[in-house]
């Protein structure tokens, strides 16, 4: 998948999701985002934002990007979105494959979750910072508000073999620091799901062995909506 329009108009959350204290109802999310001045969303990243594979029973087949698009679409008639996220890409590959189409779409807000695959490969913080800057800076300079999403802590979730866990935890910590720093420099918002209470809970990764089951996406979306509701100037002014 190189691009796909985000789906809209899904039914309300199922009981299992709406009863989770880390999740929020769609109407609550829409109200939190109502004042935000965005009509065109582009989603970029490696695998997390691309969609939910094999969700746990009782959860919807939707990523946190789908949920974000739904909440914005519920508050404005002329909303449009494109999801360019593709599984298994490195940051360099994301820059080469997704930046151009994103700029052509002319978004006023972008959501980016990237770098996780780099943490599992030849991780070099300086290279990662340069590549992430090359991805985010042109988007911001072309008028898009940048939202970056911290990756759930795979290393501390029990998915990484114990002998490698400490080193991988350091890599993911560094990735989150670099991402947050660059986003702040560009005047955007970094959503800290990396330190979310569920981030080290292996059960949120159980459905597809990594981090794409729907409980994790619902929790990440709740963090996105509440963070933007608190920190974006347009929302804070209402």
């Amino acid at each position: 998948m190189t691009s796909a329009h985000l789906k809209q108009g899904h039914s309300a959350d199922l009981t299992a999701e709406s009863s989770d204290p880390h999740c929020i109802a769609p109407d609550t999310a829409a109200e939190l985002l109502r004042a935000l001045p965005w009509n065109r969303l582009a989603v970029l990243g490696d695998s997390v934002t691309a969609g939910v594979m094999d969700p746990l029973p009782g959860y919807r087949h939707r990523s946190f990007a789908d949920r974000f698009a739904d909440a914005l679409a519920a508050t404005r008639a002329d909303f449009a979105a494109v999801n360019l996220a593709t599984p298994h890409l490195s940051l360099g590959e994301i820059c080469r494959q997704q930046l151009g189409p994103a700029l052509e779409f002319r978004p006023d807000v972008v959501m980016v979750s990237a770098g996780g695959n780099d943490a599992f490969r030849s991780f070099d913080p300086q290279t990662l910072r340069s590549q992430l800057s090359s991805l985010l800076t042109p988007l911001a300079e072309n008028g898009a508000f940048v939202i970056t999403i911290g990756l759930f802590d795979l290393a501390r979730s029990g998915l990484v073999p114990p002998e490698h866990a400490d080193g991988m935890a350091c890599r993911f910590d560094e990735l989150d620091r670099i991402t947050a720093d660059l986003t702040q420099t560009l005047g955007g918002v970094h959503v800290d799901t990396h330190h979310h209470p569920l981030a080290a809970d292996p059960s949120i990764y159980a459905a597809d062995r990594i981090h794409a089951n729907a409980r994790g996406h619902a929790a990440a979306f709740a963090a996105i909506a509440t963070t933007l509701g608190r920190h974006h100037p347009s929302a804070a002014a209402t």
Side-chain angles (χ1 to χ4, degrees):
M1 180 184 71
T2 56
S3 67
H5 289 287
L6 295 174
K7 296 179 180 179
Q8 302 173 14
H10 294 273
S11 59
D13 289 348
L14 299 175
T15 302
E17 182 176 304
S18 60
S19 63
D20 190 322
H22 297 294
C23 303
I24 60 177
D27 55 348
T28 301
E31 193 59 36
L32 285 169
L33 302 175
R34 183 175 299 278
L36 301 178
W38 302 325
N39 293 295
R40 296 179 67 81
L41 165 69
V43 180
L44 293 81
D46 42 39
S47 59
V48 186
T49 48
V52 179
M53 301 175 290
D54 305 324
L56 294 174
Y59 292 98
R60 291 187 296 174
H61 294 249
R62 299 167 63 233
S63 71
F64 58 75
D66 297 319
R67 298 165 190 273
F68 186 61
D70 284 355
L72 289 176
T75 68
R76 61 217 73 198
D78 54 351
F79 178 76
V82 62
N83 189 345
L84 299 162
T86 304
H88 313 307
L89 297 186
S90 68
L91 256 171
E93 292 167 332
I94 292 168
C95 289
R96 291 190 293 273
Q97 297 181 26
Q98 298 177 17
L99 179 57
L103 293 173
E104 290 177 10
F105 182 69
R106 302 185 65 82
D108 50 22
V109 58
V110 294
M111 177 183 291
V112 179
S113 180
N117 287 310
D118 297 80
F120 282 103
R121 299 176 186 177
S122 54
F123 184 81
D124 178 75
Q126 185 173 351
T127 299
L128 188 147
R129 178 181 290 273
S130 176
Q131 291 175 335
L132 192 59
S133 179
S134 295
L135 179 67
L136 299 181
T137 301
L139 294 163
E141 289 179 343
N142 279 270
F145 184 85
V146 174
I147 303 169
T148 53
I149 315 298
L151 297 174
F152 274 8
D153 194 338
L154 298 179
R156 296 185 178 93
S157 71
L159 292 176
V160 177
E163 63 270 24
H164 301 303
D166 289 343
M168 290 303 301
C170 290
R171 288 186 175 194
F172 278 99
D173 288 346
E174 183 67 11
L175 169 62
D176 197 67
R177 283 193 294 269
I178 291 170
T179 305
D181 179 60
L182 285 172
T183 306
Q184 183 178 13
T185 299
L186 294 171
V189 167
H190 178 68
V191 181
D192 183 13
T193 55
H194 181 66
H195 299 99
H196 192 280
L198 288 181
D201 178 358
S203 70
I204 67 170
Y205 310 97
D208 71 332
R209 302 183 305 281
I210 304 182
H211 45 242
N213 81 48
R215 184 184 178 209
H217 279 278
F221 169 63
I224 294 165
T226 54
T227 297
L228 290 169
R230 287 194 306 267
H231 298 299
H232 191 277
S234 294
T238 60

